[in-house]
């Protein structure tokens, strides 16, 4: 009789434990289903953001625990991979662009962390990686969606110019003016050519000509009077105005002839200062007059004559 009572009590205890286990199981299943439903109902961009920041946080935690600084760069790179993959999979151009750019940022930060940041070459290489990132990102977007993020050329130009200055020049102020002016001008010209906007081509030509003119006029290796240097700068500036007419005919299918007026005036003033500052420059100018004359005839035949008559 006693054993029977004990057995019944034991069975009753097992039933209670089983009931508790099954209740917990059902609660966990219901909670999991609810969480899954909530996640599936959220917008795609929230999922991509959540996954990206989760990976970033986990990798940053590893960097803090194990004192491995380079993991900060790897964490940012991993976040960029999540953004890029999500944008590519769910057809979100902005996330493809941001993902590629964040990957480049992670690589640049990793280079700074594994190298000595006191060296300008390290900053130059990192700047170059970021510049390449700004160039590759719109290429990826175009490859997937056939959309052009043309404005990415401008940060790429600034970073690319800084890279060349830091890695390959003697760090004179004329080097900064030359490369930044040249690259920014090219970015404006390419953007204006793609959009068929003369409003972008004009500053592009002028920036490029000013950058090149400043370098050739005020480079420390050139020994000329200040007046002649200003003349060289004005001549290059006049070339920039003349190129506006050339590109307008080439890309906009119509001749914009009025930039030739400031080009002629500024060019004559520049030649006057160039020769007046140093009379010996007159022989150089006369000796190259034939080349200038041929260029003027070519511009007339290619641009003005056809454009004026039409």
């Amino acid at each position: 009789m006693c054993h029977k009572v004990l057995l019944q009590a034991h069975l009753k205890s097992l039933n209670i434990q089983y009931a508790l286990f099954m209740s917990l199981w059902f609660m966990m299943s219901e909670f999991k289903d609810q969480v899954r439903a909530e996640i599936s109902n959220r917008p795609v961009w929230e999922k991509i953001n959540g996954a990206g920041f989760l990976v970033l946080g986990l990798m940053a935690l590893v960097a803090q625990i194990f004192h491995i600084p380079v993991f900060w760069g790897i964490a940012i790179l991993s976040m960029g991979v999540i953004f890029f993959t999500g944008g590519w999979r769910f057809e979100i151009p902005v996330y493809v662009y941001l993902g590629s750019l964040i990957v480049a940022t992670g690589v640049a930060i990793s280079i700074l962390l594994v190298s000595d940041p006191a060296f300008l070459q390290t900053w130059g290489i990192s700047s170059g990686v970021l510049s390449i990132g700004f160039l590759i990102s719109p290429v990826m977007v175009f490859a997937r969606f056939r959309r052009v993020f043309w404005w990415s050329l401008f940060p790429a130009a600034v970073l690319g110019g800084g890279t060349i200055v830091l890695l390959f020049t003697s760090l004179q102020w004329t080097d900064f003016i030359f490369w930044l002016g040249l690259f920014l001008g090219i970015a404006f010209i390419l953007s204006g050519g793609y959009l068929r906007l003369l409003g972008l081509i004009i500053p592009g030509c002028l920036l490029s000509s000013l950058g090149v003119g400043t370098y050739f006029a005020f480079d420390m290796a050139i020994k000329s009077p200040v007046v002649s240097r200003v003349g060289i700068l004005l001549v290059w500036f006049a070339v920039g105005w003349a190129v506006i007419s050339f590109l307008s005919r080439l890309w906009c299918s119509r001749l914009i002839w009025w930039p030739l007026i400031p080009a002629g005036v500024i060019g004559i003033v520049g030649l006057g200062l160039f020769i007046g500052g140093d009379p010996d420059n007159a022989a150089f100018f006369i000796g190259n007059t034939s080349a200038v004359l041929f260029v003027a005839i070519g511009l007339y035949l290619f641009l003005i004559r056809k454009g004026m008559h039409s």
Side-chain angles (χ1 to χ4, degrees), residues 81-136:
V81 172
I82 296 294
F83 274 57
F84 177 83
T85 305
W88 192 279
R89 169 67 178 81
F90 296 104
E91 299 183 354
I92 306 177
V94 174
Y95 277 86
V96 173
Y97 181 86
L98 287 177
S100 303
L101 192 57
I102 293 173
V103 168
T105 304
V107 174
I109 292 177
S110 299
I111 292 173
L112 289 175
L113 291 174
V114 300
S115 306
D116 188 357
F119 290 107
L120 292 177
Q121 288 79 4
T122 302
W123 288 97
I125 295 173
S126 300
S127 176
V129 171
L130 286 177
S131 178
I132 294 173
F134 275 105
L135 290 176
I136 291 179

Side-chain angles (χ1 to χ4, degrees), residues 78-302:
S78 302
M79 181 182 182
V81 172
I82 296 294
F83 274 57
F84 177 83
T85 305
W88 192 279
R89 169 67 178 81
F90 296 104
E91 299 183 354
I92 306 177
V94 174
Y95 277 86
V96 173
Y97 181 86
L98 287 177
S100 303
L101 192 57
I102 293 173
V103 168
T105 304
V107 174
I109 292 177
S110 299
I111 292 173
L112 289 175
L113 291 174
V114 300
S115 306
D116 188 357
F119 290 107
L120 292 177
Q121 288 79 4
T122 302
W123 288 97
I125 295 173
S126 300
S127 176
V129 171
L130 286 177
S131 178
I132 294 173
F134 275 105
L135 290 176
I136 291 179
S137 298
V139 172
M140 292 297 178
V141 173
F142 181 79
R144 181 70 172 88
F145 307 101
R146 293 297 184 268
R147 293 179 57 182
V148 179
F149 286 3
W150 56 270
W151 44 265
S152 189
L153 287 173
F154 295 99
V158 174
L159 292 170
T163 299
I164 293 181
V165 171
L166 292 175
L167 294 180
F168 304 109
T169 69
S170 56
L171 300 179
Q172 297 181 5
W173 69 272
T174 52
D175 297 324
F176 283 94
I177 297 295
F178 175 79
W179 289 108
L180 291 179
L182 181 63
F183 278 17
L184 266 179
I186 292 174
F188 272 104
I189 292 172
L190 293 178
S191 301
Y194 170 74
L195 297 173
R196 298 293 190 270
L197 288 178
L198 192 64
L200 293 176
I201 294 177
I202 291 175
C205 294
L206 298 183
L207 275 174
S208 298
S209 63
L210 283 175
V212 176
T214 302
Y215 178 81
F216 283 106
F218 297 100
D219 184 45
M220 297 297 107
I222 301 176
K223 303 299 182 182
S224 297
V226 177
V227 176
S228 295
R229 291 173 180 245
V230 174
I232 295 173
L233 174 60
L234 291 178
V235 169
W236 277 104
F237 193 45
V239 171
W241 282 102
V243 172
I244 294 173
S245 293
F246 176 79
L247 293 181
S248 69
R249 182 70 180 86
L250 186 65
W251 282 350
C252 298
S253 300
R254 61 192 181 94
L255 174 66
I256 306 297
W257 61 268
W258 61 263
L260 297 176
I261 298 175
V265 175
I266 296 173
I268 292 174
V269 173
L271 286 174
L273 293 176
F274 176 68
I275 296 174
D278 186 0
D280 293 336
N281 292 330
F284 171 81
F285 174 71
I286 294 173
N288 291 274
T289 302
S290 58
V292 176
L293 181 62
F294 290 147
V295 171
I297 294 174
L299 287 175
Y300 172 77
L301 294 176
F302 187 80

